[in-house]
Amino acid sequence: MKAVRIPRVEAEKVRRLAEKTGAKDKNRLIVTRGEFVEIPIYDGYEELFSQYEIIQQENPVFKKKADLLHVLKPLIPENLHHLIPRSYKIVGDIALVKIPHELESFAELIAEKIMEIHPRLKAVWRDFGKEGMLRRPHLQLLSGEGSETLHREFGCVYRLDVTKVMFSPGNLGEKMRLVRLVRNGETIVDMFAGIGYFTIPLAVHTKARRIYSIEINPDSYHYLLENIQLNRAENVITILGDSMKVTPEGVADRVVMGHIFCHEFLQVAICALKPEGGVIHYHESVPEAVIQRPVERVKNAAEKAGRKVEITGFRKVKNYSPGVVHVVVDAKIV
Ligand SMILES: C[S@@+](CC[C@H](N)C(=O)[O-])C[C@H]1O[C@@H](n2cnc3c(N)ncnc32)[C@H](O)[C@@H]1O
Protein backbone atom coordinates (compact mmCIF):
# COMPACT_ATOMS: atom_id res chain seq x y z
CA MET A 1 0.00 0.00 0.00
CA LYS A 2 1.57 3.18 -1.22
CA ALA A 3 1.68 6.71 0.20
CA VAL A 4 3.26 10.02 -0.72
CA ARG A 5 5.63 11.10 2.06
CA ILE A 6 6.09 14.85 2.21
CA PRO A 7 7.18 17.49 4.74
CA ARG A 8 4.26 18.97 6.68
CA VAL A 9 4.50 22.34 4.94
CA GLU A 10 3.74 20.78 1.56
CA ALA A 11 1.06 18.40 2.79
CA GLU A 12 -1.99 20.52 2.06
CA LYS A 13 -1.02 21.10 -1.58
CA VAL A 14 -0.43 17.38 -2.16
CA ARG A 15 -3.57 16.36 -0.27
CA ARG A 16 -5.65 18.63 -2.51
CA LEU A 17 -4.07 17.15 -5.64
CA ALA A 18 -4.67 13.60 -4.39
CA GLU A 19 -8.33 14.35 -3.54
CA LYS A 20 -9.02 16.21 -6.78
CA THR A 21 -7.62 13.49 -8.99
CA GLY A 22 -9.20 10.58 -7.13
CA ALA A 23 -5.72 9.26 -6.28
CA LYS A 24 -6.24 9.35 -2.51
CA ASP A 25 -6.99 5.95 -1.02
CA LYS A 26 -10.30 6.56 0.72
CA ASN A 27 -9.90 3.53 2.97
CA ARG A 28 -6.80 4.88 4.71
CA LEU A 29 -6.28 7.99 6.80
CA ILE A 30 -3.62 10.64 6.29
CA VAL A 31 -1.05 10.19 9.07
CA THR A 32 1.58 12.52 10.50
CA ARG A 33 4.90 11.01 11.57
CA GLY A 34 7.25 13.59 13.04
CA GLU A 35 7.87 16.34 10.51
CA PHE A 36 6.41 14.25 7.68
CA VAL A 37 2.92 13.48 6.46
CA GLU A 38 1.92 10.31 4.60
CA ILE A 39 -0.90 10.69 2.11
CA PRO A 40 -2.24 7.26 1.09
CA ILE A 41 -2.68 6.75 -2.66
CA TYR A 42 -4.07 3.93 -4.81
CA ASP A 43 -1.68 1.84 -6.93
CA GLY A 44 -1.24 3.23 -10.42
CA TYR A 45 -0.99 6.89 -9.40
CA GLU A 46 2.71 6.97 -8.56
CA GLU A 47 3.61 8.92 -11.67
CA LEU A 48 1.33 11.79 -10.73
CA PHE A 49 3.46 12.32 -7.61
CA SER A 50 6.81 11.58 -9.24
CA GLN A 51 8.44 14.71 -7.80
CA TYR A 52 7.71 13.47 -4.27
CA GLU A 53 8.86 10.47 -2.25
CA ILE A 54 6.58 7.43 -2.66
CA ILE A 55 6.76 4.86 0.15
CA GLN A 56 5.26 1.50 0.99
CA GLN A 57 3.25 2.39 4.09
CA GLU A 58 4.43 0.25 6.98
CA ASN A 59 1.66 1.04 9.43
CA PRO A 60 -1.35 2.21 7.44
CA VAL A 61 -4.25 3.54 9.49
CA PHE A 62 -7.58 2.41 8.07
CA LYS A 63 -10.82 4.29 8.24
CA LYS A 64 -13.00 2.16 10.44
CA LYS A 65 -16.13 2.51 8.36
CA ALA A 66 -14.51 1.13 5.20
CA ASP A 67 -13.21 -2.03 6.78
CA LEU A 68 -15.51 -4.69 5.35
CA LEU A 69 -13.31 -7.48 6.68
CA HIS A 70 -13.66 -6.16 10.23
CA VAL A 71 -17.46 -5.96 9.94
CA LEU A 72 -17.83 -9.45 8.44
CA LYS A 73 -15.39 -11.43 10.55
CA PRO A 74 -17.82 -12.03 13.43
CA LEU A 75 -20.52 -13.14 10.95
CA ILE A 76 -18.59 -15.61 8.79
CA PRO A 77 -16.84 -18.86 9.91
CA GLU A 78 -13.15 -18.43 10.63
CA ASN A 79 -12.02 -20.92 7.96
CA LEU A 80 -13.51 -18.60 5.31
CA HIS A 81 -12.05 -15.32 6.57
CA HIS A 82 -9.23 -15.34 4.03
CA LEU A 83 -11.85 -15.27 1.22
CA ILE A 84 -13.73 -12.19 2.44
CA PRO A 85 -13.39 -9.48 -0.25
CA ARG A 86 -10.81 -6.86 0.84
CA SER A 87 -12.01 -4.35 -1.70
CA TYR A 88 -14.79 -3.59 -4.15
CA LYS A 89 -15.37 -1.13 -6.97
CA ILE A 90 -17.59 1.88 -6.54
CA VAL A 91 -18.95 3.35 -9.78
CA GLY A 92 -21.15 6.37 -9.11
CA ASP A 93 -23.61 5.20 -6.46
CA ILE A 94 -23.25 1.49 -7.23
CA ALA A 95 -20.80 -1.03 -5.76
CA LEU A 96 -19.47 -4.06 -7.66
CA VAL A 97 -17.98 -6.82 -5.56
CA LYS A 98 -16.24 -10.06 -6.51
CA ILE A 99 -17.29 -12.89 -4.19
CA PRO A 100 -15.68 -16.34 -4.38
CA HIS A 101 -18.13 -19.26 -4.76
CA GLU A 102 -17.16 -20.57 -1.29
CA LEU A 103 -18.91 -17.47 0.13
CA GLU A 104 -22.03 -17.98 -2.02
CA SER A 105 -24.37 -18.24 0.97
CA PHE A 106 -22.97 -15.03 2.46
CA ALA A 107 -23.22 -12.96 -0.76
CA GLU A 108 -26.31 -10.99 0.27
CA LEU A 109 -24.94 -10.41 3.76
CA ILE A 110 -21.71 -9.03 2.26
CA ALA A 111 -23.76 -6.70 0.03
CA GLU A 112 -25.87 -5.49 2.95
CA LYS A 113 -22.73 -4.67 4.93
CA ILE A 114 -21.29 -2.73 1.98
CA MET A 115 -24.56 -0.75 1.84
CA GLU A 116 -24.27 -0.05 5.57
CA ILE A 117 -20.67 1.11 5.21
CA HIS A 118 -21.64 3.43 2.32
CA PRO A 119 -25.18 4.70 3.00
CA ARG A 120 -25.21 6.73 -0.25
CA LEU A 121 -25.12 3.57 -2.41
CA LYS A 122 -28.33 2.58 -4.17
CA ALA A 123 -27.26 -0.96 -5.14
CA VAL A 124 -24.60 -3.62 -4.76
CA TRP A 125 -24.01 -6.04 -7.64
CA ARG A 126 -21.95 -9.22 -7.62
CA ASP A 127 -19.22 -9.03 -10.25
CA PHE A 128 -18.51 -12.25 -12.17
CA GLY A 129 -16.09 -10.56 -14.61
CA LYS A 130 -16.36 -9.43 -18.21
CA GLU A 131 -17.06 -11.44 -21.32
CA GLY A 132 -15.58 -11.37 -24.82
CA MET A 133 -14.19 -8.59 -26.94
CA LEU A 134 -17.11 -6.31 -26.03
CA ARG A 135 -16.11 -6.67 -22.35
CA ARG A 136 -19.76 -7.09 -21.38
CA PRO A 137 -20.15 -7.30 -17.59
CA HIS A 138 -21.65 -10.37 -15.99
CA LEU A 139 -23.40 -9.17 -12.83
CA GLN A 140 -26.04 -10.25 -10.32
CA LEU A 141 -28.03 -7.86 -8.12
CA LEU A 142 -27.41 -8.54 -4.42
CA SER A 143 -28.86 -5.56 -2.60
CA GLY A 144 -30.79 -2.35 -3.37
CA GLU A 145 -31.93 -1.55 -6.89
CA GLY A 146 -30.88 0.19 -10.09
CA SER A 147 -28.05 -0.25 -12.57
CA GLU A 148 -27.71 3.15 -14.23
CA THR A 149 -25.44 5.63 -12.54
CA LEU A 150 -23.44 8.84 -12.94
CA HIS A 151 -19.73 8.47 -12.18
CA ARG A 152 -17.55 11.55 -11.63
CA GLU A 153 -13.82 11.33 -12.16
CA PHE A 154 -11.03 13.75 -13.07
CA GLY A 155 -13.41 16.63 -13.83
CA CYS A 156 -15.50 14.45 -16.17
CA VAL A 157 -18.86 12.79 -15.75
CA TYR A 158 -19.87 9.44 -17.21
CA ARG A 159 -23.39 8.03 -17.37
CA LEU A 160 -23.49 4.25 -17.73
CA ASP A 161 -25.45 1.14 -16.95
CA VAL A 162 -23.17 -1.19 -15.00
CA THR A 163 -25.01 -4.26 -16.31
CA LYS A 164 -24.37 -3.27 -19.94
CA VAL A 165 -20.93 -1.65 -20.01
CA MET A 166 -17.80 -1.89 -17.90
CA PHE A 167 -15.98 0.84 -16.00
CA SER A 168 -12.45 0.60 -14.57
CA PRO A 169 -11.74 3.21 -11.89
CA GLY A 170 -8.20 1.72 -11.88
CA ASN A 171 -7.49 3.27 -15.30
CA LEU A 172 -7.70 6.84 -14.01
CA GLY A 173 -3.92 7.26 -13.72
CA GLU A 174 -3.53 6.28 -17.38
CA LYS A 175 -6.22 8.75 -18.48
CA MET A 176 -4.42 11.54 -16.64
CA ARG A 177 -1.06 10.58 -18.10
CA LEU A 178 -2.49 10.53 -21.61
CA VAL A 179 -4.07 13.95 -21.19
CA ARG A 180 -0.66 15.37 -20.23
CA LEU A 181 0.99 13.97 -23.39
CA VAL A 182 -1.41 15.57 -25.89
CA ARG A 183 -0.28 18.73 -27.71
CA ASN A 184 -2.60 21.47 -28.95
CA GLY A 185 -4.15 20.79 -32.33
CA GLU A 186 -3.61 17.03 -32.39
CA THR A 187 -5.93 14.65 -34.17
CA ILE A 188 -6.55 11.56 -32.07
CA VAL A 189 -8.19 8.25 -32.92
CA ASP A 190 -9.72 6.31 -30.03
CA MET A 191 -10.23 2.83 -31.53
CA PHE A 192 -12.14 1.26 -28.61
CA ALA A 193 -14.01 4.23 -27.20
CA GLY A 194 -16.58 2.45 -25.01
CA ILE A 195 -18.62 5.09 -23.18
CA GLY A 196 -15.81 7.60 -23.65
CA TYR A 197 -13.29 6.35 -21.06
CA PHE A 198 -10.42 8.13 -22.87
CA THR A 199 -12.36 10.27 -25.37
CA ILE A 200 -14.12 12.31 -22.69
CA PRO A 201 -11.04 13.34 -20.62
CA LEU A 202 -9.14 14.01 -23.87
CA ALA A 203 -11.97 16.24 -25.12
CA VAL A 204 -12.41 18.00 -21.76
CA HIS A 205 -8.79 18.51 -20.72
CA THR A 206 -6.83 18.93 -23.97
CA LYS A 207 -6.95 21.23 -26.97
CA ALA A 208 -6.98 18.35 -29.46
CA ARG A 209 -8.38 19.53 -32.79
CA ARG A 210 -10.41 16.42 -33.41
CA ILE A 211 -11.03 13.05 -31.74
CA TYR A 212 -12.38 10.15 -33.78
CA SER A 213 -14.15 7.90 -31.33
CA ILE A 214 -15.00 4.40 -32.55
CA GLU A 215 -17.21 1.91 -30.73
CA ILE A 216 -18.82 -1.33 -31.89
CA ASN A 217 -21.32 -2.01 -29.10
CA PRO A 218 -24.57 -0.04 -29.52
CA ASP A 219 -25.11 0.04 -25.73
CA SER A 220 -21.71 1.65 -25.16
CA TYR A 221 -22.21 3.91 -28.18
CA HIS A 222 -25.49 5.17 -26.73
CA TYR A 223 -23.68 6.25 -23.52
CA LEU A 224 -20.74 7.63 -25.51
CA LEU A 225 -23.13 10.03 -27.27
CA GLU A 226 -24.78 10.93 -23.99
CA ASN A 227 -21.45 11.51 -22.23
CA ILE A 228 -20.23 13.75 -25.07
CA GLN A 229 -23.29 15.92 -24.45
CA LEU A 230 -23.03 15.79 -20.66
CA ASN A 231 -19.40 16.97 -20.81
CA ARG A 232 -20.06 19.47 -23.64
CA ALA A 233 -17.32 17.89 -25.73
CA GLU A 234 -17.42 19.56 -29.14
CA ASN A 235 -14.51 18.15 -31.07
CA VAL A 236 -15.52 14.47 -31.15
CA ILE A 237 -16.51 12.57 -34.28
CA THR A 238 -18.23 9.34 -33.25
CA ILE A 239 -18.31 6.22 -35.40
CA LEU A 240 -20.48 3.20 -34.59
CA GLY A 241 -18.74 0.16 -36.04
CA ASP A 242 -15.85 -2.28 -36.03
CA SER A 243 -12.57 -0.37 -35.79
CA MET A 244 -10.97 -3.10 -37.91
CA LYS A 245 -13.11 -1.80 -40.80
CA VAL A 246 -14.03 1.82 -40.07
CA THR A 247 -10.88 3.41 -38.64
CA PRO A 248 -9.95 6.42 -40.79
CA GLU A 249 -6.56 6.20 -42.51
CA GLY A 250 -3.71 8.70 -42.50
CA VAL A 251 -5.35 11.22 -40.16
CA ALA A 252 -3.94 10.73 -36.67
CA ASP A 253 -1.13 12.21 -34.61
CA ARG A 254 -2.06 9.76 -31.87
CA VAL A 255 -3.98 6.49 -31.68
CA VAL A 256 -5.37 5.12 -28.43
CA MET A 257 -5.80 1.33 -28.39
CA GLY A 258 -7.48 1.06 -24.98
CA HIS A 259 -8.56 -2.57 -25.25
CA ILE A 260 -6.50 -5.20 -23.45
CA PHE A 261 -6.94 -7.81 -26.22
CA CYS A 262 -6.32 -5.78 -29.37
CA HIS A 263 -3.00 -6.88 -30.87
CA GLU A 264 -4.72 -7.92 -34.08
CA PHE A 265 -5.65 -4.26 -34.62
CA LEU A 266 -2.07 -2.94 -34.61
CA GLN A 267 -1.80 -2.76 -38.41
CA VAL A 268 -5.02 -0.75 -38.57
CA ALA A 269 -3.74 1.61 -35.87
CA ILE A 270 -0.52 2.20 -37.80
CA CYS A 271 -2.52 2.94 -40.96
CA ALA A 272 -4.54 5.52 -39.00
CA LEU A 273 -1.39 7.59 -38.37
CA LYS A 274 -0.50 10.50 -40.63
CA PRO A 275 2.08 9.63 -43.33
CA GLU A 276 4.70 11.61 -41.36
CA GLY A 277 4.00 9.45 -38.32
CA GLY A 278 2.63 9.70 -34.82
CA VAL A 279 2.22 7.88 -31.53
CA ILE A 280 0.32 4.71 -30.62
CA HIS A 281 -0.72 3.83 -27.08
CA TYR A 282 -1.13 0.07 -27.17
CA HIS A 283 -2.77 -1.70 -24.20
CA GLU A 284 -2.42 -5.39 -23.43
CA SER A 285 -3.17 -7.79 -20.64
CA VAL A 286 0.01 -9.87 -20.37
CA PRO A 287 1.36 -12.63 -18.08
CA GLU A 288 4.41 -11.34 -16.20
CA ALA A 289 6.37 -14.35 -17.53
CA VAL A 290 6.16 -12.88 -21.08
CA ILE A 291 6.17 -9.22 -20.12
CA GLN A 292 8.03 -8.12 -23.28
CA ARG A 293 5.32 -9.57 -25.56
CA PRO A 294 3.43 -6.27 -26.09
CA VAL A 295 6.62 -4.43 -27.06
CA GLU A 296 7.54 -7.20 -29.50
CA ARG A 297 4.06 -7.13 -31.00
CA VAL A 298 4.26 -3.37 -31.63
CA LYS A 299 7.74 -3.68 -33.15
CA ASN A 300 6.65 -6.55 -35.42
CA ALA A 301 3.56 -4.69 -36.59
CA ALA A 302 5.62 -1.60 -37.46
CA GLU A 303 8.17 -3.69 -39.30
CA LYS A 304 5.40 -5.42 -41.26
CA ALA A 305 4.00 -2.03 -42.22
CA GLY A 306 7.46 -0.89 -43.34
CA ARG A 307 7.59 1.88 -40.72
CA LYS A 308 10.23 2.79 -38.15
CA VAL A 309 9.36 2.45 -34.48
CA GLU A 310 10.75 3.83 -31.23
CA ILE A 311 9.34 2.57 -27.94
CA THR A 312 9.00 5.73 -25.83
CA GLY A 313 7.14 4.28 -22.85
CA PHE A 314 6.14 1.02 -21.20
CA ARG A 315 4.20 1.04 -17.97
CA LYS A 316 1.88 -1.02 -15.86
CA VAL A 317 -1.67 0.36 -15.74
CA LYS A 318 -2.85 -2.05 -13.06
CA ASN A 319 -2.89 -5.68 -11.95
CA TYR A 320 -5.31 -7.70 -14.05
CA SER A 321 -5.32 -11.08 -12.29
CA PRO A 322 -2.72 -13.03 -10.29
CA GLY A 323 0.48 -13.00 -12.38
CA VAL A 324 -1.12 -11.00 -15.19
CA VAL A 325 -0.77 -7.23 -15.64
CA HIS A 326 -2.47 -4.62 -17.78
CA VAL A 327 0.29 -2.62 -19.49
CA VAL A 328 0.49 0.18 -22.03
CA VAL A 329 3.21 0.63 -24.63
CA ASP A 330 3.86 4.08 -26.12
CA ALA A 331 5.35 3.80 -29.58
CA LYS A 332 6.47 6.57 -31.91
CA ILE A 333 6.02 5.37 -35.45
CA VAL A 334 7.33 7.20 -38.54
C1 LIG B 1 -14.51 -1.51 -22.35
S1 LIG B 1 -13.36 -0.64 -23.30
C2 LIG B 1 -11.88 -0.89 -22.48
C3 LIG B 1 -11.85 -0.19 -21.18
C4 LIG B 1 -11.25 1.17 -21.17
N1 LIG B 1 -9.92 1.19 -21.75
C5 LIG B 1 -11.20 1.79 -19.77
O1 LIG B 1 -10.46 2.74 -19.56
O2 LIG B 1 -11.95 1.37 -18.90
C6 LIG B 1 -13.24 -1.55 -24.73
C7 LIG B 1 -14.33 -1.17 -25.70
O3 LIG B 1 -13.95 -1.62 -26.99
C8 LIG B 1 -15.12 -1.98 -27.69
N2 LIG B 1 -14.73 -2.82 -28.83
C9 LIG B 1 -14.39 -4.13 -28.83
N3 LIG B 1 -14.08 -4.53 -30.08
C10 LIG B 1 -14.23 -3.45 -30.88
C11 LIG B 1 -14.05 -3.23 -32.27
N4 LIG B 1 -13.65 -4.21 -33.08
N5 LIG B 1 -14.29 -2.00 -32.76
C12 LIG B 1 -14.69 -0.98 -31.95
N6 LIG B 1 -14.88 -1.13 -30.62
C13 LIG B 1 -14.65 -2.35 -30.10
C14 LIG B 1 -15.96 -2.70 -26.65
O4 LIG B 1 -17.30 -2.74 -27.00
C15 LIG B 1 -15.68 -1.83 -25.41
O5 LIG B 1 -16.64 -0.84 -25.26
Side-chain angles (χ1 to χ4, degrees):
M1 271 174 278
K2 305 222 168 78
V4 186
R5 183 173 181 269
I6 19 112
R8 274 178 195 229
V9 280
E10 288 185 67
E12 184 51 21
K13 187 175 71 183
V14 178
R15 183 196 65 79
R16 258 191 263 133
L17 175 67
E19 296 269 6
K20 190 172 141 206
T21 55
K24 182 171 170 295
D25 184 340
K26 292 187 180 134
N27 296 331
R28 286 178 284 154
L29 296 174
I30 294 174
V31 287
T32 304
R33 300 191 202 280
E35 279 311 300
F36 286 88
V37 174
E38 293 173 13
I39 298 180
I41 58 166
Y42 293 114
D43 282 357
Y45 292 91
E46 297 82 350
E47 200 178 294
L48 185 64
F49 302 94
S50 53
Q51 72 266 49
Y52 304 107
E53 185 189 359
I54 311 272
I55 57 161
Q56 280 291 347
Q57 244 189 344
E58 283 180 3
N59 301 306
V61 183
F62 291 96
K63 272 191 190 165
K64 241 198 178 137
K65 76 174 203 128
D67 192 353
L68 183 62
L69 181 66
H70 208 82
V71 175
L72 286 170
K73 265 184 171 173
L75 307 170
I76 290 180
E78 205 174 334
N79 63 329
L80 296 173
H81 283 182
H82 64 290
L83 295 171
I84 294 175
R86 274 17 181 205
S87 62
Y88 38 88
K89 256 199 293 199
I90 294 186
V91 181
D93 54 3
I94 294 176
L96 308 174
V97 60
K98 289 200 164 121
I99 299 174
H101 69 270
E102 294 89 336
L103 290 178
E104 186 75 50
S105 55
F106 299 98
E108 282 172 15
L109 172 74
I110 293 170
E112 277 163 29
K113 292 299 164 196
I114 294 175
M115 295 278 272
E116 277 174 32
I117 289 169
H118 304 275
R120 70 176 186 89
L121 293 182
K122 69 175 178 195
V124 177
W125 291 78
R126 185 168 176 185
D127 183 354
F128 291 96
K130 296 162 209 80
E131 288 160 2
M133 272 304 274
L134 300 196
R135 315 295 293 137
R136 283 190 202 277
H138 178 196
L139 303 180
Q140 175 200 359
L141 183 62
L142 290 175
S143 183
E145 58 183 28
S147 58
E148 196 178 64
T149 190
L150 212 56
H151 184 75
R152 287 173 205 282
E153 181 190 84
F154 187 27
C156 303
V157 50
Y158 300 87
R159 194 188 297 283
L160 71 147
D161 184 325
V162 294
T163 62
K164 293 185 179 154
V165 299
M166 57 161 282
F167 195 92
S168 285
N171 290 357
L172 173 60
E174 178 56 19
K175 292 173 194 165
M176 295 167 75
R177 188 185 76 94
L178 190 59
V179 159
R180 286 203 302 274
L181 295 175
V182 173
R183 303 264 147 77
N184 292 355
E186 280 191 8
T187 296
I188 303 171
V189 172
D190 183 356
M191 286 177 70
F192 305 94
I195 62 164
Y197 309 102
F198 288 109
T199 289
I200 296 297
L202 287 169
V204 168
H205 295 298
T206 75
K207 291 200 167 68
R209 190 166 78 90
R210 186 165 296 150
I211 303 168
Y212 291 94
S213 195
I214 308 166
E215 173 54 44
I216 199 169
N217 175 358
D219 287 329
S220 303
Y221 189 77
H222 161 82
Y223 285 109
L224 173 65
L225 296 181
E226 193 161 340
N227 291 330
I228 287 169
Q229 288 210 336
L230 273 175
N231 291 277
R232 297 193 180 87
E234 282 166 2
N235 51 354
V236 183
I237 296 175
T238 58
I239 303 171
L240 174 63
D242 180 350
S243 55
M244 190 67 96
K245 298 180 187 147
V246 300
T247 302
E249 290 184 14
V251 297
D253 298 292
R254 194 177 293 279
V255 177
V256 182
M257 302 181 73
H259 194 302
I260 54 174
F261 306 116
C262 68
H263 68 276
E264 285 165 358
F265 293 74
L266 273 162
Q267 292 293 334
V268 177
I270 293 170
C271 286
L273 292 172
K274 287 179 175 167
E276 64 268 32
V279 175
I280 287 181
H281 302 283
Y282 167 68
H283 290 243
E284 184 171 322
S285 153
V286 58
E288 282 168 315
V290 289
I291 195 73
Q292 285 305 316
R293 186 179 71 186
V295 169
E296 293 309 322
R297 280 179 164 163
V298 174
K299 284 184 177 169
N300 290 341
E303 195 181 321
K304 227 173 165 182
R307 315 268 299 244
K308 285 196 185 125
V309 61
E310 183 193 345
I311 304 299
T312 54
F314 180 53
R315 71 185 289 270
K316 180 170 122 179
V317 176
K318 59 183 187 297
N319 293 324
Y320 180 69
S321 58
V324 180
V325 282
H326 170 177
V327 299
V328 58
V329 179
D330 301 340
K332 194 171 168 198
I333 291 175
V334 290

